[in-house]
Amino acid sequence: MSQRSQWKSSTGFILASAGSAIGLGALWKFPYMAGMFGGGAFLFMFLAFTILVGLPLLIMEFAVGQLGRTYTTELFGQLTGRKWLNGIAWIGNLAVFVLFSFYSVIGGWIIVYFGFVLAQLFHIVPTHLHDLQFQAIISQPLYVVTGQAIFIALTCGIVMRGMQQGLEKASKLMMPLLLVFLIIIVVKTLSLDGAMDGVRFLFQPRVSEINMESMLFALGQSFFALSLGTTGMMTYASYASTDMPIKTSALTILIMNIAIAILAGLAIFPALETFGYQAKEGPGLLFIILPLVFEKIQFGTLFYAIFLVLFLFAALTSSISLLELNVSNFTRNNNRKRPTMALIISLAVFIVGVPATLSFGPLSHIQFGAGSIFDNMDFVFSNILLPIGALASTLAIGYAMEKVRLKTGFGNDPLKLFAIWYIFIRYILPVVILLVFILQLV
Ligand code: PHE
C-alpha cells in the first residue's frame, strides 16, 4: 500500500526546498570556486547562469514534481508516455549518490572543527582559534572519518524517520540565525585592513578570467547551489500539494541562495590580505579564514562554535535531500521500507566516501584526471552528471510540455510568462548546457 508523505504547509515546502538548496554549495563551494576562477568574473557567470538557466530549471523541477506526485524513476515515464525515459532519473540517483559521498567529507570536517572548538571553549585544550591547522586536521584519518560517519548517521537518522517535517521548526530559527551570523562576520571583515581589495576581487569582473573552463565550473556551481539537475527538487515538489505556490517558492529560494553565496564571499575575501592568504586556497578557504576572523571578534570562540552548528545544520538540510532522492526511488512510495533503505544507502555512501576523505591525508598521493580522488568525484558530479542530467530532463520535459501546461494551468497567466519559460526549457537551456559542456571538452 502506498503511504506517500506530504508537506503540511507551503511554508514547510519552501523551507525544505530552501534547506536543500542552501548548504555547502553557497557557503563553502562558492567562495572557493570564485577564489580559483577569478572572483568577479566567476560571480558574474554564476549569477547569469543562476538566473537564466537555474530559475527556469528550478520552476520546471517543481512543476513536474508537483504534477507527477511520485518518485522520479516513475515520473519521467508517466509524463512522457515513454518508460525508458525513466532512465534520466537514474542519472540523478547516481549523481546524488556520488555527491553525498563527497559532501559527507565536508560535513565531517565541520563536525571535527566543532569538536576542536568545543574543546577550546571548555579549556580542554589550551589552544586558540588560530591554532586550528586545517591541513593537519583534515589529514588525520581518525578524526575525519569519524566526522564523516557522524554526518552520514545524522542524515540517515532524519531520513529514516520519514519526511523532514520535524525540521520545519528548527529551520525557522536556524536559517535566519545563519544569515545574522554571516552579516556579523561580513561587518567584521569589511573593517579589516585591505578589505576593499577583497571586495573588488569579488565584484569586479575581469573579462580575461572568463574562459570555457571557468564557465563550465560556474554552470556546475549554479546547478550545485540550487540542487538542480539531479531531480532532487522534483522529489521535494512531489510531496507538495497542487495549491503550493511553486513560482514564488522558486524565486524566494533563488534570491536567498544568491544572497548567502555573496555573503559567504564577503565573509572571506576582504579578510585575505589581513591574514596573508591567497584567494586560490582551494577547498580549505572557509575553514582557514573564518576562525581567524572570529578570533578578532569578542567571544569569538563561542560565536564560532555557534556558527559551526548553523553551518552543520545548513549542510544537513541539504544532505537529507540527497539521501531522500534515492530513498524515495528505492522505497517507491512505500514508507515501511524507508528505514531499511535509508540505512543500506547510507552505508554504501560511507564506503564510497571514505577514500574521498582520505584523499586529503594518507591517499593524497593518488592524483589523476581532475586531481585527487575528492576532486575527481566533485568533477564527475558537478561538471558531468549534473549538466547531463539537466540536459536530459529539459529535453524530456520540453517534449511533454503540452501536458505540463494543461495540468499546471501555467499557460493562463496574463504576463505570458509561460511562453517565455517554455522557450527557455525547450530551446535555450538545452543549447546553452550542451554548448558549455561540449566546448570544455575540445
Ligand atoms: N544545493 C546543495 C548545496 O548547495 C547541494 C545539493 C545538490 C543538494 C543537488 C541536492 C541536490 O549544498
Side-chain angles (χ1 to χ4, degrees):
M1 197 187 72
S2 128
Q3 321 151 311
R4 208 173 154 71
S5 339
Q6 263 216 338
W7 303 114
K8 297 213 171 55
S9 67
S10 305
T11 327
F13 166 59
I14 296 181
L15 281 172
S17 329
S20 165
I22 297 166
L24 298 180
L27 288 160
W28 160 78
K29 198 166 183 218
F30 172 77
Y32 117 64
M33 286 275 129
M36 306 266 279
F37 294 105
F42 189 85
L43 175 63
F44 174 77
M45 289 186 286
F46 168 72
L47 287 179
F49 283 137
T50 301
I51 295 167
L52 296 174
V53 180
L55 184 62
L57 216 56
L58 184 56
I59 296 179
M60 179 189 93
E61 288 211 12
F62 276 173
V64 169
Q66 191 184 38
L67 188 68
R69 303 264 211 111
T70 185
Y71 46 93
T72 54
T73 47
E74 182 173 75
L75 186 63
F76 281 93
Q78 196 186 71
L79 206 70
T80 55
R82 286 161 200 263
K83 261 198 154 154
W84 63 273
L85 287 176
N86 283 329
I88 297 172
W90 286 104
I91 305 178
N93 283 342
L94 175 67
V96 291
F97 182 85
V98 175
L99 173 56
F100 191 15
S101 307
F102 72 84
Y103 207 86
S104 61
V105 176
I106 316 297
W109 290 357
I110 305 176
I111 291 174
V112 173
Y113 259 64
F114 181 66
F116 272 107
V117 174
L118 268 194
Q120 292 183 342
L121 201 58
F122 291 104
H123 305 291
I124 300 168
V125 291
T127 52
H128 303 280
L129 286 181
H130 67 255
D131 295 317
L132 290 169
Q133 290 299 326
F134 177 72
Q135 285 307 336
I137 291 177
I138 62 159
S139 58
Q140 281 292 330
L142 180 65
Y143 294 153
V144 281
V145 173
T146 309
Q148 181 175 34
I150 296 176
F151 185 78
I152 295 175
L154 285 172
T155 309
C156 180
I158 299 167
V159 172
M160 268 168 89
R161 303 162 114 238
M163 275 314 295
Q164 291 59 49
Q165 314 279 7
L167 285 184
E168 190 174 330
K169 269 204 199 97
S171 297
K172 275 186 190 153
L173 173 76
M174 304 288 258
M175 293 238 210
L177 215 60
L178 179 66
L179 206 64
V180 170
F181 263 68
L182 280 173
I183 293 172
I184 296 176
I185 308 169
V186 171
V187 169
K188 186 72 209 174
T189 54
L190 287 179
S191 74
L192 297 173
D193 287 343
M196 273 309 129
D197 285 343
V199 174
R200 233 173 280 130
F201 174 78
L202 181 61
F203 289 112
Q204 216 171 56
R206 280 163 308 270
V207 185
S208 59
E209 300 277 354
I210 299 181
N211 53 42
M212 268 349 280
E213 191 194 15
S214 59
M215 247 191 198
L216 180 72
F217 275 94
L219 182 69
Q221 175 63 22
S222 64
F223 284 174
F224 190 112
L226 282 175
S227 307
L228 292 174
T230 62
T231 71
M233 286 303 205
M234 272 181 210
T235 306
Y236 266 22
S238 75
Y239 301 120
S241 56
T242 37
D243 55 348
M244 293 189 184
I246 51 174
K247 281 168 276 180
T248 39
S249 311
L251 202 60
T252 316
I253 293 165
L254 183 96
I255 293 170
M256 288 203 283
N257 205 13
I258 292 178
I260 301 255
I262 291 181
L263 282 174
L266 279 176
I268 290 172
F269 295 119
L272 291 180
E273 188 160 314
T274 297
F275 301 118
Y277 277 94
Q278 299 289 323
K280 284 190 169 35
E281 193 58 46
L285 193 60
L286 185 89
F287 289 89
I288 294 171
I289 303 300
L290 285 195
L292 301 175
V293 176
F294 273 102
E295 200 160 49
K296 288 202 171 275
I297 300 176
Q298 225 183 5
F299 306 115
T301 312
L302 175 65
F303 281 143
Y304 188 47
I306 300 175
F307 173 81
L308 286 171
V309 172
L310 298 171
F311 187 24
L312 179 65
F313 184 81
L316 277 173
T317 53
S318 300
S319 63
I320 55 181
S321 74
L322 297 174
L323 182 55
E324 177 62 34
L325 177 59
N326 271 317
V327 167
S328 97
N329 276 316
F330 282 100
T331 55
R332 303 176 161 251
N333 295 342
N334 182 349
N335 260 336
R336 265 172 308 180
K337 291 194 195 148
R338 178 172 277 278
T340 328
M341 283 302 167
L343 214 61
I344 296 174
I345 298 167
S346 300
L347 208 65
V349 163
F350 179 65
I351 294 170
V352 176
V354 167
T357 293
L358 297 182
S359 71
F360 290 92
L363 299 185
S364 62
H365 59 280
I366 303 181
Q367 298 279 334
F368 57 100
S372 64
I373 300 177
F374 180 93
D375 295 332
N376 277 290
M377 285 170 83
D378 189 1
F379 185 85
V380 166
F381 171 75
S382 305
N383 298 9
I384 296 179
L385 291 174
L386 278 196
I388 291 181
L391 180 65
S393 349
T394 46
L395 291 176
I397 309 266
Y399 167 81
M401 198 50 116
E402 192 50 23
K403 224 174 184 175
V404 179
R405 184 179 72 83
L406 290 178
K407 288 214 184 156
T408 52
F410 255 30
N412 310 332
D413 60 303
L415 289 174
K416 295 273 169 277
L417 287 177
F418 177 83
I420 302 175
W421 181 63
Y422 175 84
I423 293 172
F424 265 85
I425 297 294
R426 190 86 208 248
Y427 305 105
I428 302 183
L429 297 198
V431 175
V432 172
I433 300 171
L434 200 65
L435 261 185
V436 175
F437 186 66
I438 291 182
L439 284 177
Q440 54 95 31
L441 295 177
V442 291

